[in-house]
Each structure stands twice: as C-alpha cells, then as structure tokens.
Amino acid sequence: MSRILALLGKELADLRQNPALFFPAVLAGGLSMLLPFFIAIVVPALAGERLSDSSDFEIALEMYRDQPRLRDLEPEAAIQAWIFQQFLVLLVLTPVTGAMSIAAYSIVGEKQARTLEPLLATPLTTFELLAAKVLGALLPALGLTVATFLLYLTGVGVFAEPGAFRALLLPASLAVVFVLGPLTSLAALQLAVCVSSRVNDARSAQQIGALIVLPLTAAFILQITGMFQLTVLVIASVALALVGADIGLMLLGIALFERESILTRWK
Amino acid sequence: MLSAAHLTRRFGERVAVDDVSFELAPGEVFALLGPNGAGKTTTLRMLAGLIAPSSGTVRLGAEVLSRHTAPRLRGRIGLLPETPGLWDRLPVRQNLLVYARLHGVADPAAAVDEVLERFGMRDRGREPAAQLSKGLKQRVALARTLLHVPDVLLLDEPTAGLDPESAREVRELILRLRSERRTIVLSTHNLDEVERVADRVAVLRARLVAVDTPAALHARLFGARMRVTLRQPAATFASVLARAGFRDVQAQDQTLSIAVGEHLASAPAIVRQLVEAGADVLSVMPEQARLEDVYLRLLEDEVRLKPDATIEGRRP
C-alpha cells in the first residue's frame, strides 16, 4: 500500500505541475453542467414558453407523481427536475472522459520519457504500478465530479423552479454520483491504463482510449430516451456488475502488462 | 554476492546473451565490455530482475532471482539505466523522495537529504529536474540508486556524455562504493574508465569472450613485458639483452621493452646485463597493460581463454 501511495503522490504532484493536462476534463465537465440549464431554463425563457405547456414531457410528470417526496412539485418544477436528473449521468461521467487521456498516457508516457525502467527496477509490483496509475487519473476525476455536482446542485437551487433540486438529492441520484460514477470511472480508466501498457506510442493510446467513451455515451442516450430508468434495483445491479468488471479489469491489466516487452521492444 | 550461471536470453531467433557465467565478490568492481548489441544491457537487466533469462540463473547471495523473489530482491539492487530517467517536471528532491518510499526506506526525507549532501546537491533539491545539466541529472540518477543502500549496483554507461570533471566524480564515487564493500557491475565503452576502476573485466559478444583482470588479460594475449628507461639511446643495448636470451626486445628512444615470463624474477637479470654493458638504468617497471589493445584483440580474434580460468568467470 505504501508503494501505491508513493507513486500516487508522484502522479498527483506531476498533475499539479502541469494542470493543463486536466483542462479537457474541466472543460467537458463545465459544458455538460451547462447543457441542462440551457435546455430547462434558457431555451424556454428565450422562447417565452414554459416546459409544462408542452405535452412532450408527460413522462416526467408521470414519473414524479409516483415519487412521494416529489409529488407536491409544480409541473414546471417536476419537468425541470426530470431534465436535471437525466443529465446527472452525463455530468458524472464527463470528467472521466477527460481523465482518460491521463490514463491512456500513463504507462506509454513513462516509457517515452525513459522513466519506466528505473521505476520497474524498484520492488514495485505490477498491481501496485497499475493501481497507482489508475488512481492518479481517477482521484482528480472524482474530485472534479464532486465539485461539479455541488456546483450543479447550487445552480439548480438558485436558477430552477423551487423544489426541483430535491430530485438531485434522491437516493437514486446520489447513488449515480457516488456509486455508479466512481465504479464506471474506475472501469473506464483501468481499461485506458491497459491500453497504455499495450501500445507503444502515446497517440495510439489516446485514440484507442477515446473509444472507451462510446459505451458511456450509449448508456446516457439509452437512459435519456427512456430505454431504462435508474431505479434503486437497476443501480444496485449495475453497481454489482461494475464491481465485478473492476476486479476483472485489474486482473486483466496485470496479465496484459508485459514488463519485458515494454522494456525490450518499445522504442 | 552476485552470480550468474549459464545465463542465456533469446529474443525470438536472436540470442542476445549466450551461456554467460560469473561470480562476483562483495566490494568487487566488474566491468562488462563489448560492442553495441553485445548483450551488456540485457545482461544488466537480467541481473536486476527486470527481465527473466531464457535459461540459467542469477543468484543474489543464496537466493535465486525469480519471478516471485524479484520484487523483494530488487530492494537489494540499485540500477542506473542508460538514461537518468528523472521526472522532469518534479523537483530533484521529490524525484528522490518517491524512490525512497518505493524502496520502503525507514526515513525517506533523511535518506534523500543524505544523498543530496553526498552528491553536493543539497542546494539544488528544489529545482525541477528538467533544469539540470546532463551531468547533474546523471548525478541525481546515481543518488537515486543509492537511496536504499543496495548491496549490488548495476551501472549502465554511468559516465556516458559527461564532461571530464563529472566523469571523474563518478569514477571516484565508484571507488568509494567499492571501499564500502558494494558489488558493482559496470557496463561501458569507456576503456580508460575500466582501467581505472575495474577489478575484473568481462568482454562480451553475446558469449563471454574473456573474463579476468586487465593485467592478466594483457599478459595472456601479449605476454608480460618489462619497460626499462636508460640515460643512453636504447638501441645500443637491445642487442645485449637479445644475446643474453631475452625475447622480443624493442627499443625506442631511451626505452627498452622486453618480453618477460615473470616481472619480478626477470628484473634483476635485465638490470645486471644492462649495467655490465655500461648502461645507466633510470627506471625499471612492468609495462602497463593497455586495455584497448586487449579489447580489440579479443574482439578481432574472439580468443577463447581456458574455460577453467576465465570463461566460467570465477574469482581467482
């Protein structure tokens, strides 16, 4: 554990010295946060119409009639709450897509900077190396997610209809932010680190790493189009599957990490 | 302390290291010489537990270096790779602190202070590594290999690209470490450096071409020679020694170079012959072995010395 912390400390210090590395994550997080405000508040205000005047959002009203804690919401507040809740998945996962470039660069970057060989000559095990690399990308992403969520919550409290922010404090919403978000991020970043340990240039790692965003985007689209709803049961099942995936990906990462190939064949 | 037994490493069809064996004692400086691609770095990596041999074993003390023991045994080894491998954005001190922690040093901050002091870099600790000159980077990398007080040091081209002053500092450090009974394996192309610091030399071209002390290798290849400096022109006295039965007597200016069987035993007879012939003898000394000649001759001929004496690489 102490060796993971030692290398993790280096990863975070490196990021502090070069915060621009995390700029894409901050930018993506900011944009994904603004998007629902634009849809729920800015566009209706510019059009001079209320969302509750349209029949397109009947699904939102029906959903909230079944929620004891939200049953008393005005129709406009209920629709806004639905929109803000739907975008929570995007909000939580966007910083991870930004952190993906850090993870994708993690191993191949050390190799290209010729810093990997002295690192591998220490008692550091493959598990410790990969764990530190994944955490080095995950922790800043999670920090950004939490910060974005708090800002989101504040924005909804200030700019949305009264009571709409309560939808973001439902157990399902909080589970998305604090359970599904971290577990999904962990899986995605582990996959990116695996990629980083198998390619021999940073550009390939980033391009392949970018593909990991696709299933996350698909999940968001399926959710917002009503293909599935994040009920507590769905969240628990997905969380369980993600825990399994995270363990499996770590084992896969260790199996795929070939010290010898990295040292002797990469140039 | 450190031994390699029949170490072989293949990369596909290519044999990078072929049946290499040697044993090193505590406090010994062992130099690996060989042309590019001779397997020096691969040998160092196998000794460091970074890559596994295709066959053969590496032992550190009584323990065999294996996939399972390597993480632990790497804690007793310090490796200096070909390039310093510092994290450029991080300050020097932080670079070293991370490694002290990775090696589980009890008081990392104190250990870092100690090596910075030892390498005269205490005032450079806060500087990002990127701002250091090549020589200073190499010094930090050397400091890094010593943080955990390893028993064995594996140095890959430690003075490559350094200015003469920095290179001398590195050589002095190697000699200090030898006096601390650390075992040092040095891979280099710098023959002058090897002559100054190495106890034994291994000439490698995938296989071990030869292993011995520089002087012994020279003696085996070229025979032992005695150098005599006279007040008079040497050519006058070359024939005197030849008539007395000495072989291969060469004269140049005021110096005679004579092939001898045994330095000490031959010296009195040479001096006696010269003085009787009227020569004024200014100095008599064994001729210094020129490692460059030895090295080039070995590689040209791939001379195989007797297995019991050299190829096995056991300490005399």
Side-chain angles (χ1 to χ4, degrees):
Chain A
M1 189 64 186
S2 61
R3 286 193 288 266
I4 295 177
L5 292 177
L7 190 56
L8 176 60
K10 173 257 156 188
E11 295 295 317
L12 297 178
D14 210 16
L15 198 59
R16 272 201 304 275
Q17 298 293 327
N18 190 15
L21 279 176
F22 214 63
F23 181 70
V26 175
L27 187 68
L31 287 176
S32 66
M33 187 176 69
L34 291 176
L35 196 59
F37 285 97
F38 192 73
I39 294 169
I41 298 170
V42 178
V43 171
L46 290 175
E49 288 181 12
R50 292 171 66 81
L51 294 168
S52 49
D53 295 340
S54 164
S55 58
D56 294 345
F57 293 103
E58 193 58 35
I59 182 177
L61 297 174
E62 277 176 24
M63 212 174 100
Y64 285 116
R65 277 185 207 116
D66 297 337
Q67 293 274 356
R69 290 166 64 182
L70 302 174
R71 206 174 288 153
D72 58 332
L73 285 180
E74 292 294 321
E76 188 69 10
I79 293 168
Q80 284 186 349
W82 180 80
I83 291 171
F84 285 119
Q85 204 181 23
Q86 296 301 300
F87 273 86
L88 213 47
V89 173
L90 186 67
L91 186 84
V92 164
L93 295 181
T94 306
V96 179
T97 61
M100 207 73 81
S101 62
I102 297 173
Y105 193 71
S106 59
I107 303 292
V108 71
E110 295 273 10
K111 173 65 186 177
Q112 287 188 332
R114 295 178 175 269
T115 50
L116 191 61
E117 188 167 359
L119 201 55
L120 294 180
T122 68
L124 193 71
T125 63
T126 302
F127 167 74
E128 290 167 337
L129 173 67
L130 297 182
K133 289 292 182 186
V134 170
L135 289 174
L138 180 69
L139 292 184
L142 290 186
L144 187 62
T145 299
V146 171
T148 311
F149 176 67
L150 292 176
L151 210 59
Y152 191 61
L153 203 59
T154 308
V156 172
V158 171
F159 298 108
E161 293 291 322
F165 77 95
R166 277 190 279 147
L168 301 179
L169 296 175
L170 290 174
S173 302
L174 295 175
V176 167
V177 177
F178 296 105
V179 179
L180 288 194
L183 288 173
T184 310
S185 305
L186 184 59
L189 293 174
Q190 284 194 110
L191 210 51
V193 171
C194 283
V195 170
S196 186
S197 68
R198 297 296 293 183
V199 297
N200 57 12
D201 73 283
R203 207 179 306 164
S204 304
Q206 285 180 342
Q207 284 169 350
I208 297 171
L211 297 177
I212 297 166
V213 175
L214 292 178
L216 303 180
T217 312
F220 170 69
I221 291 169
L222 287 176
Q223 187 227 353
I224 208 161
T225 53
M227 297 289 281
F228 70 88
Q229 292 295 324
L230 287 172
T231 61
V232 172
L233 183 65
V234 169
I235 288 170
S237 307
V238 173
L240 206 61
L242 282 170
V243 168
D246 287 335
I247 294 169
L249 279 167
M250 179 49 82
L251 296 174
L252 181 71
I254 292 169
L256 290 178
F257 189 85
E258 293 180 357
R259 282 173 183 250
E260 299 196 3
S261 294
I262 291 171
L263 286 176
T264 57
R265 291 186 197 158
W266 288 13
K267 295 293 175 197
Chain B
M1 171 56 67
L2 179 70
S3 66
H6 306 292
L7 217 51
T8 299
R9 175 67 207 205
R10 293 182 195 85
F11 294 107
E13 293 293 303
R14 190 172 71 85
V15 181
V17 176
D18 187 9
D19 196 26
V20 168
S21 300
F22 51 78
E23 283 179 19
L24 308 183
E28 181 175 9
V29 179
F30 186 74
L32 288 176
L33 288 178
N36 292 330
K40 301 187 298 293
T41 298
T42 302
T43 302
L44 283 185
R45 284 174 170 168
M46 285 192 282
L47 296 176
L50 285 177
I51 60 175
S54 304
S55 62
T57 52
V58 174
R59 280 178 189 275
L60 185 56
E63 290 192 87
V64 173
L65 202 60
S66 69
R67 194 184 185 88
H68 301 293
T69 60
R72 184 169 48 80
L73 292 181
R74 282 199 291 265
R76 292 173 57 193
I77 298 168
L79 172 71
L80 178 75
E82 273 179 278
T83 48
L86 303 178
W87 292 301
D88 276 347
R89 281 192 290 264
L90 298 190
V92 168
R93 198 166 194 287
Q94 194 157 9
N95 261 282
L96 296 174
L97 264 175
V98 173
Y99 275 91
R101 289 177 181 138
L102 288 175
H103 279 290
V105 172
D107 187 346
V112 170
D113 287 341
E114 192 185 320
V115 293
L116 284 175
E117 186 77 48
R118 181 175 194 169
F119 284 83
M121 295 200 61
R122 186 132 201 177
D123 56 334
R124 312 296 292 263
R126 288 174 189 274
E127 283 182 37
Q131 289 180 9
L132 301 180
S133 66
K134 191 171 181 179
L136 287 179
K137 281 184 181 176
Q138 188 74 342
R139 223 191 279 186
V140 176
L142 266 166
R144 183 183 63 205
T145 65
L146 296 175
L147 275 168
H148 55 295
V149 197
D151 300 325
V152 173
L153 279 154
L154 307 172
L155 310 178
D156 200 353
E157 304 275 0
T159 57
L162 297 188
D163 60 66
E165 193 184 348
S166 302
R168 190 184 64 189
E169 284 175 10
V170 171
R171 283 196 297 272
E172 286 171 357
L173 173 75
I174 291 171
L175 294 174
R176 276 206 304 278
L177 292 168
R178 177 170 66 179
S179 69
E180 293 171 10
R181 306 280 292 159
R182 311 275 177 82
T183 301
I184 299 167
V185 182
L186 184 70
S187 160
T188 182
H189 290 295
N190 187 336
L191 300 173
D192 177 55
E193 178 176 288
V194 171
E195 285 197 290
R196 288 167 194 245
V197 301
D199 297 308
R200 282 195 300 158
V201 178
V203 179
L204 197 66
R205 185 178 255 177
R207 294 181 65 87
L208 269 185
V209 177
V211 184
D212 215 324
T213 62
L217 284 176
H218 187 275
R220 282 167 190 275
L221 288 173
F222 297 101
R225 299 188 74 83
M226 190 72 77
R227 179 181 292 266
V228 181
T229 309
L230 308 175
R231 191 183 299 279
Q232 300 92 337
T236 317
F237 300 95
S239 56
V240 172
L241 292 178
R243 278 198 300 276
F246 289 99
R247 293 180 297 110
D248 191 15
V249 180
Q250 296 167 9
Q252 188 177 9
D253 301 328
Q254 291 164 278
T255 305
L256 286 165
S257 174
I258 308 125
V260 292
E262 170 55 52
H263 293 154
L264 292 174
S266 304
I270 291 170
V271 173
R272 193 163 44 244
Q273 291 289 337
L274 291 169
V275 170
E276 282 175 3
D280 296 329
V281 178
L282 299 179
S283 69
V284 181
M285 63 184 73
E287 206 166 277
Q288 286 292 315
R290 287 180 59 205
L291 191 58
E292 187 181 354
D293 294 337
V294 175
Y295 172 71
L296 293 175
R297 172 84 171 267
L298 281 168
L299 288 182
E300 278 167 14
D301 302 344
E302 290 219 0
V303 176
R304 296 285 196 275
L305 301 182
K306 289 178 182 174
D308 58 342
T310 54
I311 298 298
E312 286 299 313
R314 299 191 191 290
R315 273 185 72 78

